[in-house]
Amino acid sequence: MAKSRASENPESRFSAVLASVANLPGVRIDREAYLRSALARYCSEDEIRRAIEDSPAAAGIPLDVLDKAADASITYETSKAGALSAAAGMPGIFALPVTVPTDMAQYMSHMLRIAQKLAYLYSWPDLLSTDTDDLDDATKGVLTLFVGVMFGTQSANSAVGQVSNMMAKQVAKKLPQKALTQGVVYPIVKKVAAYLGVEMTKQTFAKTVSKAIPVVGAVVSGGLTLATSRPMAKRLKKHLSGLELANPARRAADGNVVDGEVVDVVDGEVVDVVDGEVVGEDVHGSAAGRAEPSPA
């Protein structure tokens, strides 16, 4: 009974689909290989090496160059998603129990692929590069927010901006685990996941209707996927490219990387733990100095 209730929970349903799709073959993008391929036409070897070792922003790669690479990736991924969706629509109504779940998995897999590609171009850290990595809660939270941005949810936009600011202020190379799993961002992740769970159910129904007639269903389904996925990818691109984390001038000026864990934004400060000490930095850029850790 408990399992049945969980499966009916939109938040749990989306999280389960996200985790399952993330483990499908071909979904995970190798950050180093992708950046090398995407930037090869536009950047020198030194710029590419710096982008891989640190980030494209730290390498000083202009945003217009990153935008060109992002557009090429969006075109590739959305065209592929549309073609696969059309192919899934060919069998018609008798194959619906198989083709609809498969098509939804394909749709989500391409959303995750383009989310990773855009994240790496706009200076987010490694997310799902290797097949052996487990999908930890922080990564799941960020991917949920990215998909939420694609769907146009304002709360996801706000949360992604908060995470970006935390990382940019500390020039961090990893996701803020605690902020995404316990801090101010976590309730937003849960809210967005619940919304996406409802939307996923709606899309499943829409795709079922579109596939009821063979051939016609293929054209409608493929066109629907292409028409919806491309604007969604463009929405995420626009949001990520406008964040502080992607700003080449801001990141190229910073030579030091802080390896601490960004925890939260508290009373106007980004709170970080470095070598056992709590470090505060005003979110507007002024240093708040070091403070002694609170006693256990």
Side-chain angles (χ1 to χ4, degrees), residues 195-235:
Y195 169 78
L196 293 174
V198 173
E199 289 299 306
M200 188 171 63
T201 301
K202 292 179 181 177
Q203 288 205 6
T204 300
F205 175 76
K207 287 178 178 293
T208 301
V209 173
S210 73
K211 293 177 188 296
I213 304 175
V215 182
V216 174
V219 174
V220 173
S221 180
L224 178 64
T225 297
L226 189 60
T228 56
S229 61
R230 184 164 295 177
M232 291 167 71
K234 290 282 190 178
R235 191 177 292 131

Side-chain angles (χ1 to χ4, degrees), residues 22 26-35 52 116-117 120 124-135 139 143:
V27 172
R28 299 186 177 212
I29 302 298
D30 185 294
R31 178 179 174 275
E32 178 177 347
Y34 170 68
L35 286 177
I52 292 170
Q116 291 171 82
K117 290 183 175 183
Y120 297 153
W124 287 73
D126 211 340
L127 298 174
L128 294 172
S129 281
T130 65
D131 292 335
T132 57
D133 288 342
D134 291 331
L135 186 64
T139 301
L143 291 174

Side-chain angles (χ1 to χ4, degrees), residues 28 51 64 67 85 108 110 112 114 118 129-130 136 159 198-199 213 226 228 234 244 264 270 283 287:
R28 299 186 177 212
D64 63 334
D67 288 343
S85 181
M108 178 64 73
H110 283 283
L112 293 186
I114 194 60
L118 294 177
S129 281
T130 65
D136 61 66
V198 173
E199 289 299 306
I213 304 175
L226 189 60
T228 56
K234 290 282 190 178
E244 185 70 10
D264 221 330
V270 175
V283 294

Side-chain angles (χ1 to χ4, degrees), residues 18 63 128 190 259 267:
L18 177 64
L63 277 174
L128 294 172
K190 291 174 66 67
D259 291 326
D267 295 333

